[in-house]
Amino acid sequence: MRDTMENTCVIIKPDGVCKKVSGDIIKRFDSEGLKLVAMRMVRPSKETLEQFYAVHKGREFFEPLIRFMCSAPVIVMAWQAENAVAKVRQIIGATNSKDAAAGTLRAMFGTDGRRNVVHASDSAANAQKELAFFFKPEDLMKYEYGDWNK
Ligand code: CMP
């Protein structure tokens, strides 16, 4: 299968921000070879989060998930790589932190199914939709790592 360059939406959730592990999380994606192309700290409204997580509406975890995601600021990022969606999901581990494989971000820093430190898109199409909640197209930076050294 041919590799494709993708962006994926990663959110450091309120537990990640409040436990002061944002730096560890960002460093991990950097050192795994992904490129950071956009980042901002936001406190999304309940309405934004209800739309963002609309696919889960009606599930028993929906309301607590929205309350949790509103409880503190989050850091939203776009990370770019070939097959970024699959790469990032591998790095973060299973949804429930208790089931996440050793060495994954959720195993290292998460607590349970809700307090699982990071969100990441599950497809390239959803990544585009999710990033559009927080970024304009021109917010996604185009650069090469050598650019600083001219
Ligand atoms: P996330 O990657 O942000 O996508 C949807 C979120 O819903 C998921 O991470 C979890 O935080 C939450 N979630 C999904 N399934 C469950 C569950 N069974 N119990 C609690 N929270 C869940």
Side-chain angles (χ1 to χ4, degrees), residues 28-35 79-81 87 91 145:
R28 177 69 177 273
F29 292 125
D30 254 340
S31 58
E32 295 268 5
L34 290 111
K35 182 193 267 187
W79 285 93
Q80 187 176 75
K87 250 179 210 162
I91 293 166
Y145 287 119

Side-chain angles (χ1 to χ4, degrees), residues 6-60:
E6 290 174 343
N7 291 333
T8 191
C9 178
V10 175
I11 302 179
I12 303 179
K13 297 188 179 189
D15 56 336
V17 170
C18 294
K19 285 160 87 175
K20 296 178 176 276
V21 295
S22 303
D24 302 82
I25 292 169
I26 292 166
K27 181 159 181 50
R28 177 69 177 273
F29 292 125
D30 254 340
S31 58
E32 295 268 5
L34 290 111
K35 182 193 267 187
L36 182 62
V37 296
M39 174 161 67
R40 62 184 283 235
M41 188 176 224
V42 281
R43 190 128 190 201
S45 67
K46 184 168 180 283
E47 292 69 33
T48 298
L49 288 164
E50 284 174 349
Q51 284 177 40
F52 185 89
Y53 280 126
V55 67
H56 298 299
K57 199 164 171 58
R59 306 284 299 273
E60 75 290 353

Side-chain angles (χ1 to χ4, degrees), residues 8-144:
T8 191
C9 178
V10 175
I11 302 179
I12 303 179
K13 297 188 179 189
D15 56 336
V17 170
C18 294
K19 285 160 87 175
K20 296 178 176 276
V21 295
S22 303
D24 302 82
I25 292 169
I26 292 166
K27 181 159 181 50
R28 177 69 177 273
F29 292 125
D30 254 340
S31 58
E32 295 268 5
L34 290 111
K35 182 193 267 187
L36 182 62
V37 296
M39 174 161 67
R40 62 184 283 235
M41 188 176 224
V42 281
R43 190 128 190 201
S45 67
K46 184 168 180 283
E47 292 69 33
T48 298
L49 288 164
E50 284 174 349
Q51 284 177 40
F52 185 89
Y53 280 126
V55 67
H56 298 299
K57 199 164 171 58
R59 306 284 299 273
E60 75 290 353
F61 61 81
F62 183 74
E63 295 298 336
L65 169 67
I66 301 301
R67 273 200 303 280
F68 165 64
M69 290 297 291
C70 287
S71 65
V74 299
I75 297 172
V76 188
M77 300 172 286
W79 285 93
Q80 187 176 75
E82 287 185 350
N83 299 316
V85 169
K87 250 179 210 162
V88 165
R89 287 176 76 80
Q90 182 93 30
I91 293 166
I92 71 175
T95 302
N96 190 327
S97 310
K98 292 177 178 156
D99 300 330
T104 62
L105 291 174
R106 284 169 169 163
M108 291 166 74
F109 303 121
T111 305
D112 53 25
R114 177 161 58 251
R115 294 165 295 174
N116 61 356
V117 293
V118 270
H119 164 82
S121 310
D122 64 2
S123 70
N126 282 340
Q128 289 196 23
K129 289 184 202 157
E130 291 177 0
L131 289 169
F133 277 91
F134 304 102
F135 299 110
K136 301 194 283 287
E138 61 268 31
D139 292 333
L140 304 186
M141 295 291 135
K142 293 182 172 58
Y143 67 99
E144 299 301 330

